[in-house]
């Protein structure tokens, strides 16, 4: 059964009588779509195993007992199924259902064997015993005090989540959110959900303003209530940061957007702005670039921007700790490379930019070697693990992520670690600096002592950071910040089709088509055919022709939705490369299924686990009994995620171009189509996509979509860093 075949086709009602109600146990989830349409295998005491489907099944888990209402219908490819109209969770009553429930992994710490032992001992009274007399679990062989306490805790959590599901369904909200709410708020979840659901926005992944607003309005909160108005203003401000990377919005724009969101008068919104100012959650000031325009920042973004300016000013004004000695060695450098070396040695803050094939990595290697020859110390960093690994490979020197650099502390007793923090080196080099968002740049510069040199290296024509801010581009707009742009393309790179295509795209010109020497464009018009071709290239054609594994090929997508988006292509690639296997454990988390062998990527920094957004990893184990997934990152670190934390991981079979930043792949395959208007197709995105490939990049799709991407420029992010910094450095 293939996921892309499991939609809701025209069905035929069977001659079999319509089933109005049946009590079942969930045996296995087969498919969950993003809109929560679910297909599952069920069993019942009165019926053989069968398939049920429908959105009413959203959030069901193997082992649960359900009371279903629906009609029997015939799927044209997969036979009869129960199309569910109503689903109610009920307590399992038969001995078999109780054993399936306990052994399914729903109750952490109980697997099939222990479930059998417990049910064999207590029979139909098992759940009553666990609920009212849990101390009796000690009567069962292999259950000691620690395991008994774990079971009791997990049982209480499961009951609380089930109760939250009922509450959410009453508001017409997906029950899938119940576990996420409980994970954040624990036993306070129900009270908070009913008293002030707006507090959940931003803290519970999946709950945005519309979801919280629906709960609030149905709970009787007035449409004009201050809490609703303030939540709407913050939602628009935070959405601008998350979606578009803006640090602020012009106040009139924000007021109009919030008024439209809640369908209220703008005067009411302005009173909400005053209330947020009194709460010190926002800052309203004259635009740093246009004093005649009022703008609003979220407090945290304003604070970070101000601190970043102070940090950069402190570093720029400081006396260098390096012995000033002019660089005279040639080492095969071009004139602009030699100028870049001198700039890094003499300026405490500087920027080095340039496109592919212009020798940035070799320049960094020479700079680092020169500083070390002077007796200085050097730390090479990049925002992601892959970017740091690539920097190390290209320079032959050790490199680390910015996050790990900031986490390192001096350990004088251990000679294998730094004798000082790596952030205190004489020279800090940050590669792929276009990926630095406002938050990371502020943390980075706060850790560097005055006198150290900070060299930011990047390609200013690539996409900006995922997070808010546009740090590299902003610094390049400050005249006082020293910078060098490498423009000479070296002979060994001139023959690369990737390099040639990238430089033409940067100049706003269409690459030579269909291409050669590492760049190829295959024209197809229909998005469904494009998707099929991308999958064939990534899983069969290229691996066979190049004699490589499919793990050497990365599919990159400009869009998330649609037939050629990351969600659908990623699902289909997973089916092809890592399908379900009989007897092998798997776990569905929303519309994603996790299996051992899956390629995944953290999408959130988790300092407790030591993993960071954009790292690559492989699932090594799925443990239903302990309700966890184990992964191994590309740098060999083993990390555990509970089932409740899986929204911090995304599958990496097909990823967005943004998430590929800082990485380089031997082969890249990408769809280029103008689905949904092709809103993401812009020059920087296409340029970034093409430059992620090391050997070959194959684009498949519409010529007009490719032309659209080449000629459409991106929007400008709202940030105040450049004018603030220019004023600070000139003052």
């Amino acid at each position: 059964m293939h996921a892309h075949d499991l939609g809701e086709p025209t069905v035929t009602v069977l001659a079999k009588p319509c089933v109005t109600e049946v009590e079942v146990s969930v045996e296995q989830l087969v498919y969950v779509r993003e809109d929560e349409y679910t297909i599952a295998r069920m069993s019942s005491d009165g019926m053989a195993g069968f398939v049920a489907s429908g959105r009413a099944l959203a959030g069901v888990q193997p082992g649960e007992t359900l009371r279903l209402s629906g009609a029997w219908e015939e799927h044209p490819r997969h036979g009869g199924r129960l199309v569910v109209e109503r689903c109610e969770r009920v307590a399992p009553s038969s001995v078999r259902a109780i054993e399936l429930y306990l052994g399914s992994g729903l109750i952490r710490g109980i697997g099939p064997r222990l479930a059998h032992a417990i049910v064999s001992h207590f029979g139909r009274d098992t759940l009553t015993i666990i609920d009212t007399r849990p101390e009796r679990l000690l009567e069962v062989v292999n259950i000691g005090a620690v395991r008994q306490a774990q079971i009791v805790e997990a049982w209480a959590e499961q009951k609380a989540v089930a109760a939250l599901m009922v509450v959410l369904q009453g508001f017409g909200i997906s029950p899938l959110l119940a576990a996420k709410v409980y994970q954040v708020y624990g036993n306070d979840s129900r009270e908070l959900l009913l008293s002030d659901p707006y507090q959940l926005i931003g803290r519970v992944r999946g709950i945005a303003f519309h979801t919280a607003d629906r709960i609030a309005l149905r709970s009787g909160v007035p449409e004009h209530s201050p809490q609703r108005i303030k939540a709407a203003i913050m939602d628009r401000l935070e959405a601008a940061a998350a979606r578009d990377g803006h640090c602020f919005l012009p106040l009139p724009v924000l007021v109009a957007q919030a008024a439209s969101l809640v369908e209220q008068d703008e005067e009411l919104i302005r009173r909400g702005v005053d209330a947020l100012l009194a709460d010190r959650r926002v800052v309203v000031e004259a635009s740093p670039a246009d004093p005649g325009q009022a703008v609003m920042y979220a407090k945290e973004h304003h604070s970070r921007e101000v601190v970043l300016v102070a940090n950069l000013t402190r570093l720029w004004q400081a006396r260098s700790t390096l012995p000033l000695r002019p660089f005279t060695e040639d080492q095969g450098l071009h004139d602009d490379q030699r100028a870049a070396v001198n700039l890094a040695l003499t300026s405490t803050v500087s920027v080095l930019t340039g496109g592919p094939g212009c020798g940035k990595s070799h320049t960094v290697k020479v700079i680092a070697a020169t500083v070390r020859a002077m007796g200085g110390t050097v730390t090479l960093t990049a925002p992601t693990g892959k970017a740091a690994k690539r920097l190390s490979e290209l320079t032959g020197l050790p490199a680390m992520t910015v996050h790990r650099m900031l986490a390192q502390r001096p350990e004088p007793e251990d000679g294998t670690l730094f004798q000082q923090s790596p952030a205190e080196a004489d020279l800090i080099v940050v590669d792929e600096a276009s990926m630095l968002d406002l938050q990371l740049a502020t943390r980075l510069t706060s850790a560097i002592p005055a006198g150290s040199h900070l060299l930011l290296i990047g390609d200013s024509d690539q996409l900006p950071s995922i997070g808010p801010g546009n740090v590299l581009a902003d610094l390049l707009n400050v005249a006082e910040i020293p910078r060098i742009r490498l423009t000479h393309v070296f002979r060994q790179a001139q023959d690369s089709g990737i390099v040639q295509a990238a430089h033409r795209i940067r100049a706003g010109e269409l690459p030579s088509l269909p291409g050669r020497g590492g760049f190829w464009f295959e024209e197809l018009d229909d998005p469904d055919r494009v998707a099929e071709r991308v999958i064939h290239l990534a899983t069969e054609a290229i691996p066979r022709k190049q004699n490589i594994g499919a793990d050497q090929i990365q599919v990159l997508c400009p869009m998330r939705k649609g037939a050629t988006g990351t969600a659908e292509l990623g699902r289909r690639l997973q089916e092809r490369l890592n399908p379900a296997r009989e007897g092998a454990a798997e776990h569905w988390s929303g519309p994603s299924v996790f299996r051992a062998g899956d390629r995944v990527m953290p999408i959130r920094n988790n300092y407790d686990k030591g993993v960071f957004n954009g790292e690559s990893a492989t699932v090594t184990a799925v443990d239903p009994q302990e309700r966890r997934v184990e992964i191994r990152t590309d740098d060999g670190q083993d990390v555990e995620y509970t089932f409740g934390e899986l929204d911090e991981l995304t599958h990496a079979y097909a990823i967005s171009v943004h998430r590929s930043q800082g990485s380089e792949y031997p082969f890249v395959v990408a769809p280029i189509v103008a689905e949904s208007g092709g809103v993401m197709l812009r020059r920087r995105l296409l340029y970034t996509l093409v430059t992620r490939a090391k050997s070959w990049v194959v684009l498949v799709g519409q010529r007009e979509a490719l032309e659209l991407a080449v000629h459409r420029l991106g929007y400008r992010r709202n940030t105040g860093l450049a004018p603030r910094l220019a004023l600070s450095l000139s003052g």
Side-chain angles (χ1 to χ4, degrees), residues 459-478:
D459 189 338
S460 56
D461 295 305
Q462 288 187 21
L463 286 169
S465 58
I466 294 177
N470 200 7
V471 175
L472 180 64
D474 284 345
L475 292 184
L476 292 172
N477 282 323
V478 178

Side-chain angles (χ1 to χ4, degrees), residues 11 36 51 55 81 89 106 113 148 175 185 219 226 243 250 326 394 456 463 468 530 566 585 619 625 708-709:
V11 294
E36 300 182 354
V51 171
R55 290 184 179 85
R81 64 172 64 175
R89 289 170 172 81
L106 279 170
R113 288 186 179 181
Q148 185 258 3
Y185 293 104
S219 298
R243 184 186 62 242
L394 291 172
L456 300 176
L463 286 169
V530 171
T566 56
V619 175
Q625 179 172 335
L708 177 67

Side-chain angles (χ1 to χ4, degrees), residues 101-313:
Y101 175 72
L102 290 180
S104 66
L106 279 170
I107 309 300
R108 188 174 61 255
I110 302 180
R113 288 186 179 181
L114 189 55
H116 180 72
I118 294 172
V119 175
S120 295
H121 189 75
F122 296 117
R124 295 172 67 96
D125 296 329
T126 296
L127 299 184
T128 302
I129 294 294
I130 296 175
D131 198 33
T132 62
R133 299 189 61 191
E135 70 278 359
R136 289 196 59 192
L137 287 170
L138 296 171
E139 298 172 13
V140 180
V141 176
N142 292 329
I143 294 184
V146 174
R147 177 61 61 86
Q148 185 258 3
Q150 182 184 27
I151 293 172
V152 169
E153 180 184 357
W155 173 259
E157 178 179 331
Q158 180 64 22
K159 284 181 61 181
V161 170
L164 277 179
M165 285 183 171
V166 174
V167 173
L168 288 170
Q169 284 179 308
F171 290 115
I173 305 298
S174 169
L176 290 171
L177 294 172
K180 298 177 183 179
V181 174
Y182 187 86
Q183 185 180 356
V184 176
Y185 293 104
N187 293 331
D188 297 328
S189 297
R190 180 184 172 88
E191 180 182 348
L192 184 62
L193 195 65
L194 297 175
S195 64
D196 188 5
Y198 296 112
Q199 286 193 37
L200 278 61
I201 300 172
R203 295 206 58 193
V204 178
R205 188 172 175 82
I207 294 188
F209 178 82
H210 287 293
T211 302
D213 198 42
R214 183 188 302 178
I215 297 172
L217 293 177
R218 293 192 180 185
S219 298
V221 174
E223 291 186 354
H224 58 273
S225 69
Q227 65 184 124
R228 182 173 188 249
I229 300 304
K230 289 194 291 185
I233 295 168
M234 293 305 300
D235 175 78
R236 293 300 82 199
L237 202 55
E238 289 160 5
R243 184 186 62 242
D244 300 322
H246 294 316
C247 294
F248 64 78
L249 281 178
L251 190 56
V253 171
L254 178 62
V255 168
Q257 289 183 359
S260 175
L261 181 64
V262 294
E263 298 180 336
Q264 297 293 313
D265 187 82
E266 289 191 3
E267 179 56 35
L268 191 61
I269 304 301
R270 282 189 280 270
R271 290 203 294 268
V273 169
D274 292 339
L276 287 169
L277 284 168
D279 294 341
R280 298 187 177 182
R281 294 176 60 189
V282 299
V283 172
V284 175
E285 65 178 21
S287 167
D290 180 6
Q293 180 186 64
V295 300
M296 178 187 277
Y297 285 82
K299 176 69 173 178
E300 61 183 18
H301 295 147
H302 184 269
S303 297
R304 286 170 182 157
E305 200 170 87
V306 170
V307 171
L308 180 55
V309 167
N311 288 341
L312 289 168
T313 302

Side-chain angles (χ1 to χ4, degrees), residues 480-641:
E480 289 82 357
I481 297 293
R483 84 287 307 275
I484 288 285
R485 180 178 180 88
L486 304 182
T487 57
H488 176 74
V489 180
F490 286 87
R491 184 182 301 275
Q492 60 267 33
Q494 290 176 357
D495 294 332
S496 165
I498 294 173
V499 172
Q500 292 177 6
H503 283 280
R504 288 183 67 88
I505 291 167
R506 185 180 67 81
E509 301 172 3
L510 196 68
S512 299
L513 301 180
R516 66 177 185 85
F519 174 86
W520 190 260
F521 175 70
E522 183 172 326
E523 188 169 359
L524 282 175
D525 187 60
D526 180 62
D528 290 326
R529 290 187 61 205
V530 171
E532 290 287 352
R533 183 58 177 164
V534 166
I535 292 169
H536 177 72
L537 286 167
T539 61
E540 296 181 39
I542 294 177
R544 182 175 60 247
K545 184 173 182 179
Q546 300 293 330
N547 193 28
I548 59 172
D551 60 347
Q552 299 296 299
I553 304 164
Q554 181 63 59
V555 173
L556 300 181
C557 303
M559 309 287 286
R560 182 180 180 276
K561 296 183 178 180
T564 59
T566 56
E568 183 61 21
L569 270 182
R571 186 193 293 272
R572 295 177 63 179
L573 286 164
Q574 182 190 30
E575 291 173 7
R576 191 75 61 90
L577 297 171
N578 193 27
R581 299 182 299 279
E582 188 70 30
E586 64 178 33
H587 177 72
W588 284 87
S589 176
S592 300
V593 59
F594 290 85
R595 304 176 181 126
D598 278 338
R599 291 155 57 180
V600 295
M601 175 182 289
I603 57 175
R604 193 178 305 171
N605 296 334
N606 190 315
Y607 295 95
D608 293 333
K609 297 181 186 297
V611 296
F612 303 101
N613 189 349
E615 292 185 333
S616 295
T618 302
V619 175
T620 53
V622 177
D623 187 343
Q625 179 172 335
E626 297 301 326
R627 299 186 64 76
R628 68 187 179 196
V629 166
E630 299 171 9
I631 69 169
R632 176 166 293 171
T633 64
D634 280 358
D635 60 6
Q637 181 184 5
D638 292 316
V639 184
E640 293 182 358
Y641 284 83

Side-chain angles (χ1 to χ4, degrees), residues 1-68:
M1 192 175 285
H2 299 286
H4 57 283
D5 296 329
L6 295 174
E8 297 172 278
T10 303
V11 294
T12 303
V13 179
L14 297 179
K16 181 186 294 188
C18 182
V19 175
T20 57
E21 192 170 276
V22 59
E23 189 169 299
V24 303
S25 294
V26 184
E27 297 279 353
Q28 178 189 8
L29 293 179
V30 176
Y31 171 63
V32 182
R33 206 165 57 194
E34 285 211 328
D35 64 359
E36 300 182 354
Y37 175 79
T38 300
I39 299 176
R41 299 191 191 281
M42 307 291 186
S43 64
S44 172
D45 289 343
M47 300 175 61
F50 65 94
V51 171
S53 66
R55 290 184 179 85
L57 295 174
V60 302
Q61 291 292 314
E64 287 187 313
T65 299
L66 311 172
R67 186 174 293 121
L68 306 178

